[in-house]
Amino acid sequence: MSVLALISSILAITLRAGTSLIYATVGEIYTERSGILNLGLEGMMLMGAVTAFATAFYTKSLWLALIVAVIVGGLLAALHAFLCVTMRANQVVSGLSITLFGSGLASFLGQRLGPASNNYFLVGMVGPKFTPIQIPVLSSLPVIGAFFNQDILTYLVYLLMPLAWFYLYKTRPGLSLRAVGENPQTADAMGIDVGRTRYLYTILGGMLTGLGGAHLSLAYTPGWTENLTGGRGWIVIALVIFAMWNPGRAVLGAVLFGGINAVQFRLQAAGTAIPAAFLNMLPYLTTIFVLVVMTWWEALSKRIGAPAALGKAYMREEK
Amino acid sequence: MNDQPKPILEMLGITKRFPGVLANDHVDLELYPGEVLALLGENGAGKSTLMNILVGLYRPDEGEIRMRGQRVEIHSPRDAAALGIGMVHQNFMLVKTMTVAENIILGLSDLPFVPDIREVSQRIRELSQRYHLQVDPDAYIWQLSVGEQQRVEILKLVYRGAEVLILDEPTAVLTPQEAQELEGVLRIMTAEGKSAIFITHKMEEVMAFSDWVRVLQQGRLTAVRKTAETSPQELARLMVGREVLFRLDRTECVLGEKILELHNISATDDRGLPALREVTFDIHGGEILGIAGVAGNGQSQLAEVVTGLRHSTQGRILIRGKDMIHASPLAMIRAGVSHIPADRIGMGAVGNMAVADNLAMKGYRGSPISERGVLRPRSILEFAQRMIDAFRIATPTPQTRIKFLSGGNIQKAILAREIDACDGLMVAVYPARGLDVGATEAVRKMLLSQREQGLAVLLISEDLEELLTIADRVAVLFSGRVMGIVPSTQTTVEMLGLMMAGVPLADLPVSTPTTANA
């Protein structure tokens, strides 16, 4: 295989592996920008993945499957918003509970929603999946061709990224969203409904996370297995910090993580002497490394990227 | 005025209850176009609550609001803005990480989905010119001084077409000169027919700014006066309900040994930027050195360096001649330094702990409060009871959690603890901030009695009257540098104000009779 072809294939896998991460990262950036920390991503992604696969398996409709995953992610996020905004519960505890609940429920559904012939298990079933769509001419270009030989959900990412950036930094509602996460008192005094904003973007974040989960079970590794996400929900929490809460930068982290994944697959396939378990660990190790470097760099450059009110409940009549 | 001017705004019988507190008790208010109304009262009198009701942050339990004669319901700040009512809050409502222009258009719904920031900036520049509110629309809020931030707040209101401006203690953060500029801005606005409500507890400001004054006391409206027909003395009496001593008896300063010496002390703030630059002064026993300056000019870093909470980057600090450079807070405490921090609940006390435990928090390391590392509850209680009696701390029981006390009583408890432990230097940071006239008087008397006992007091204050009343000498800090040190008997508010704005003592237009700092 030529070097160009190798780079091209690694790039292609990187983009595919990064897609689910980008959806969830953009979603979580929006949620955190409103001041809500959602640690329930892992659970939401798993629920999105299992419900999407089950829907696709029975209805054969991929689009219906996506809609179901989005609704399921949104519903779990609505629960989180209810606990954090309305009940002013501790956001960390609520998020962790949702991850535990979501993971458990996804695993349970995976053992009950399958066909009777398979003991009602979904594991091992084959359903419809999103396949790469080659864009004529562009896809045959060397290296960049990798960008144009992807499934529809990855193509949508190309649209999502700039839109998410533009919305956050250039539009009126984006301005309000940033204000709510930075200084809810001020936003409130300026007539912005803090509670409504937080509900809205927490739910939006959950929907995108559900979609990310669906990409895993419908495109990246089609089918359902236990712990399909492999901790991607947690990786996303780190990627948000890596992106410094800027959706424009989310792509960097997702591509880095996806890229290391792609490289380690290649190495494993090539049969290196490095143990497979070590290679599997690499992406997570890199995440820790990146987090350390980022935090260090932030401290050095005196930049604090986190929304100032992140994780804090807001109450108007505090007396 | 015409013979029958119509009020632009009326509030009738406004009542607001918080759990356990009647914050407003059937309060009435009238405001006429082109007028400035001062709302005078002590802390906790209900001024801010009343105004928060007017801007829709709180809902009144009873009463009604009329705008231009029409009854209105104000459910949210948005409703208030639609009626032309806007408020400059005491702690500014600005998002620090955003630009001036972004802050000004925040929450405006009649803007296009993608606002044209250039057009907005242009409009802001026009308004800046018209009202003499100079500010760069593209600057980030965190880059602005407090005075500039206040201009942004006012611009925000006029940009939204506010007819009624509410200003909550606007001069607390300004130099006297900036306060005068603010007066000018208000004059331009009232000349255009806009009106303003001005919350304050300072009599001089009522006299300088307002046309009418309404006095609140414990949630009730106790007096309405035309400013031209009243006096500061009458207002003070109306506000507190008794005659107030404006002068405290201060004996001649008897200098003792040199207690604190700072030589060329420099330090940085939390972001690593220079906060103190080559600060040099000393304080003798029996002397109060006041530190004046607009908030954020190095005062808190100064207090932290002297109490061992922050390391200086250069210079020497001596206590009774002993080198204390980079000493820990505990070493400073052992050297006899006491600290009354600016942040009462955050740093001075543990809100969720009992009054008695808070009082014992400094003496707990040794007998009689603890024996061999074990606390002795009975000794704590005895000690606490003694302090509560001696300092007249109003608390239901010594076991009451301290956060349930009033600000004045929390401050008295901190003072009691620190005074009891003080053996040389007392560092008091904004000790009377937010306290009512009665508690302020008590705090100042305690500081003076410390001085009479031969202790040194470093008093950091934003209240120039306070500094001139009780300090022996006043040093002015501006961007971390000492602009000058003057004896309080030989200076004026104007002189201090100029130094607070960055004019060194040597450059003051009127030459001073003597240079201080013997």
Side-chain angles (χ1 to χ4, degrees):
Chain A
M1 196 191 286
S2 74
V3 177
L4 275 189
L6 181 70
I7 294 176
S8 188
S9 97
I10 287 182
L11 191 58
I13 303 176
T14 299
L15 291 170
R16 277 159 57 74
T19 299
S20 60
L21 293 171
I22 292 179
Y23 279 114
T25 305
V26 170
E28 180 69 5
I29 286 174
Y30 270 71
T31 303
E32 291 195 12
R33 280 287 188 165
S34 79
I36 300 290
L37 176 68
N38 183 1
L39 294 181
L41 295 182
E42 179 78 356
M44 294 178 188
M45 261 185 132
L46 280 165
M47 280 300 291
V50 75
T51 53
F53 179 71
T55 310
F57 180 73
Y58 288 110
T59 66
K60 307 293 174 213
S61 166
L62 286 166
W63 295 105
L64 192 61
L66 289 184
I67 290 168
V68 167
V70 163
I71 290 173
V72 166
L75 281 177
L76 279 173
L79 176 64
H80 185 61
F82 174 73
L83 289 171
C84 298
V85 180
T86 308
M87 307 306 291
R88 295 189 196 94
N90 182 309
Q91 301 186 6
V92 172
V93 174
S94 165
L96 290 178
S97 320
I98 285 176
T99 282
L100 290 173
F101 167 69
S103 313
L105 185 60
S107 165
F108 173 78
L109 291 178
Q111 295 169 11
R112 287 292 180 286
L113 291 183
S117 58
N118 195 29
N119 267 333
Y120 302 100
F121 275 51
L122 271 178
V123 181
M125 292 294 103
V126 178
K129 61 181 180 189
F130 285 105
T131 47
I133 303 165
Q134 289 191 2
I135 295 189
V137 188
L138 289 175
S139 63
S140 49
L141 290 171
V143 185
I144 1 172
F147 285 95
F148 303 103
N149 191 8
Q150 299 289 348
D151 61 72
I152 184 91
L153 287 176
T154 307
Y155 288 131
L156 279 176
V157 161
Y158 303 163
L159 273 178
L160 176 72
M161 302 291 309
L163 274 182
W165 178 87
F166 185 83
Y167 181 85
L168 188 61
Y169 289 105
K170 298 288 166 194
T171 71
R172 196 159 39 80
L175 183 69
S176 303
L177 166 60
R178 285 186 287 141
V180 168
E182 277 301 325
N183 191 336
Q185 284 78 12
T186 296
D188 192 13
M190 303 308 358
I192 299 164
D193 189 331
V194 174
R196 211 178 67 111
T197 306
R198 290 187 160 182
Y199 260 96
L200 191 69
Y201 291 102
T202 304
I203 292 171
L204 177 74
M207 290 169 124
L208 286 169
T209 306
L211 197 58
H215 182 261
L216 290 175
S217 66
L218 300 179
Y220 184 59
T221 49
W224 169 250
T225 51
E226 292 276 321
N227 193 23
L228 177 77
T229 53
R232 279 183 176 73
W234 299 114
I235 298 280
V236 165
I237 308 278
L239 292 184
V240 170
I241 299 170
F242 183 73
M244 293 182 79
W245 293 267
N246 179 345
R249 291 219 222 164
V251 70
L252 292 177
V255 163
L256 179 75
F257 181 81
I260 290 174
N261 238 341
V263 170
Q264 64 106 350
F265 273 138
R266 275 278 152 204
L267 285 173
Q268 280 192 45
T272 59
I274 308 169
F278 183 83
L279 288 174
N280 284 335
M281 188 182 72
L282 264 185
Y284 306 96
L285 200 63
T286 317
T287 306
I288 295 175
F289 178 73
V290 161
L291 212 52
V292 170
V293 172
M294 284 303 295
T295 316
W296 198 29
W297 183 74
E298 254 185 54
L300 277 182
S301 60
K302 323 280 181 213
R303 281 191 64 166
I304 313 292
L310 180 60
K312 292 183 195 134
Y314 174 66
M315 195 160 117
R316 187 189 280 171
E317 290 198 24
E318 226 158 37
K319 260 272 162 158
Chain B
M1 274 296 136
N2 308 341
D3 6 321
Q4 274 286 301
K6 288 247 169 56
I8 182 164
L9 171 79
E10 293 162 276
M11 294 177 89
L12 303 168
I14 299 291
T15 299
K16 174 71 187 174
R17 294 178 198 90
F18 286 113
V21 190
L22 190 55
N24 287 147
D25 185 4
H26 297 91
V27 177
D28 297 327
L29 183 147
E30 271 177 13
L31 182 68
Y32 293 90
E35 283 193 351
V36 178
L37 169 71
L39 210 51
L40 181 71
E42 296 191 83
N43 287 86
K47 298 165 297 190
S48 294
T49 304
L50 187 67
M51 291 301 106
N52 279 329
I53 288 171
L54 193 50
V55 294
L57 281 171
Y58 295 164
R59 300 276 304 136
D61 296 316
E62 286 170 40
E64 66 174 79
I65 301 171
R66 287 189 198 156
M67 194 75 187
R68 296 178 191 92
Q70 300 284 311
R71 184 174 176 163
V72 291
E73 293 287 330
I74 303 175
H75 295 277
S76 70
R78 193 178 280 268
D79 293 351
L83 290 166
I85 303 172
M87 177 159 171
V88 175
H89 293 264
Q90 212 174 339
N91 31 352
F92 297 148
M93 294 290 183
L94 294 169
V95 183
K96 290 218 157 55
T97 52
M98 291 184 183
T99 65
V100 170
E102 285 180 321
N103 266 283
I104 286 176
I105 58 168
L106 188 60
L108 277 181
S109 46
D110 52 358
L111 238 55
F113 183 74
V114 182
D116 182 352
I117 288 290
R118 292 231 312 269
E119 195 186 302
V120 170
S121 297
Q122 190 49 43
R123 176 98 201 277
I124 293 170
R125 283 198 193 92
E126 284 165 23
L127 289 171
S128 297
Q129 293 251 302
R130 183 156 138 210
Y131 295 106
H132 301 291
L133 292 160
Q134 277 320 312
V135 67
D136 172 13
D138 302 317
Y140 283 91
I141 298 299
W142 57 264
Q143 298 172 319
L144 304 183
S145 73
V146 180
E148 287 174 307
Q149 291 185 22
Q150 189 176 61
R151 282 180 230 157
V152 178
E153 282 282 35
I154 297 171
L155 273 174
K156 200 154 81 174
L157 302 188
V158 290
Y159 191 97
R160 279 147 211 260
E163 288 299 313
V164 175
L165 284 86
I166 305 163
L167 302 152
D168 193 352
E169 305 210 7
T171 58
V173 293
L174 302 181
T175 63
Q177 282 78 7
E178 283 177 315
Q180 246 167 31
E181 283 171 31
L182 176 64
E183 196 187 334
V185 171
L186 283 183
R187 296 259 172 266
I188 301 174
M189 290 183 175
T190 47
E192 285 185 358
K194 295 184 193 295
S195 32
I197 303 176
F198 195 93
I199 304 180
T200 183
H201 59 232
K202 294 183 187 159
M203 267 64 73
E204 317 84 68
E205 287 179 359
V206 174
M207 302 311 291
F209 284 93
S210 70
D211 302 301
W212 281 90
V213 49
R214 282 176 182 247
V215 184
L216 286 184
Q217 196 190 341
Q218 287 172 10
R220 278 196 310 276
L221 180 69
T222 52
V224 183
R225 294 281 186 280
K226 214 170 167 78
T227 309
E229 294 162 8
T230 185
S231 67
Q233 286 73 22
E234 187 197 18
L235 290 176
R237 197 181 61 241
L238 290 168
M239 184 163 89
V240 188
R242 62 179 167 87
E243 289 292 340
V244 182
L245 298 170
F246 272 107
R247 289 271 148 223
L248 286 161
D249 292 327
R250 199 161 59 118
T251 53
E252 194 65 18
C253 169
V254 188
L255 284 191
E257 57 168 330
K258 204 182 264 186
I259 298 207
L260 174 73
E261 290 171 70
L262 296 187
H263 295 289
N264 291 318
I265 285 285
S266 295
T268 53
D269 65 11
D270 292 339
R271 289 177 299 168
L273 304 171
L276 288 179
R277 304 166 208 250
E278 292 158 12
V279 172
T280 301
F281 61 76
D282 46 36
I283 315 179
H284 290 259
E287 183 188 34
I288 297 180
L289 176 70
I291 303 285
V294 177
N297 275 288
Q299 292 96 322
S300 41
Q301 286 80 12
L302 177 64
E304 286 167 2
V305 165
V306 174
T307 51
L309 289 165
R310 180 179 295 272
H311 285 177
S312 51
T313 49
Q314 70 162 63
R316 299 204 312 140
I317 173 166
L318 297 104
I319 290 177
R320 289 201 175 96
K322 192 166 160 245
D323 195 345
M324 297 299 282
I325 199 72
H326 295 180
S328 69
L330 184 57
M332 285 296 188
I333 289 170
R334 293 205 163 125
V337 177
S338 273
H339 183 200
I340 298 162
D343 182 5
R344 241 159 259 161
I345 276 292
M347 235 176 132
V350 182
N352 276 326
M353 275 168 59
V355 174
D357 294 335
N358 271 290
L359 284 167
M361 220 178 279
K362 210 141 196 180
Y364 77 96
R365 287 191 187 84
S367 179
I369 289 178
S370 69
E371 293 291 350
R372 291 186 200 87
V374 181
L375 291 175
R376 299 176 61 205
R378 191 171 300 164
S379 303
I380 293 178
L381 218 55
E382 278 170 20
F383 172 76
Q385 199 56 58
R386 196 152 46 80
M387 290 292 132
I388 290 168
D389 296 341
F391 289 87
R392 297 206 200 96
I393 304 166
T395 173
T397 70
Q399 274 87 13
T400 307
R401 284 195 259 168
I402 201 164
K403 70 173 181 188
F404 293 123
L405 305 192
S406 72
N409 281 299
I410 294 175
Q411 190 69 332
K412 278 190 206 166
I414 296 169
L415 269 159
R417 181 184 72 209
E418 298 298 326
I419 285 176
D420 182 71
C422 187
D423 180 29
L425 175 68
M426 171 69 78
V427 180
V429 190
Y430 307 126
R433 174 147 79 184
L435 301 187
D436 59 41
V437 177
T440 301
E441 210 180 325
V443 166
R444 290 178 185 170
K445 274 186 179 155
M446 284 181 208
L447 290 177
L448 281 173
S449 80
Q450 288 291 93
R451 165 184 175 269
E452 269 148 40
Q453 285 167 31
L455 297 172
V457 179
L458 177 66
L459 169 64
I460 297 178
S461 176
E462 57 203 359
D463 185 340
L464 296 182
E465 293 297 332
E466 170 172 274
L467 290 171
L468 293 177
T469 318
I470 66 171
D472 299 296
R473 289 185 297 146
V474 180
V476 182
L477 274 183
F478 173 76
S479 79
R481 224 178 266 287
V482 175
M483 290 291 113
I485 305 180
V486 286
S488 56
T489 48
Q490 292 170 21
T491 190
T492 56
V493 170
E494 289 69 36
M495 255 175 81
L496 295 178
L498 283 169
M499 289 197 271
M500 283 162 72
V503 183
L505 179 61
D507 298 352
L508 284 187
V510 188
S511 63
T512 46
T514 41
T515 35
N517 200 6

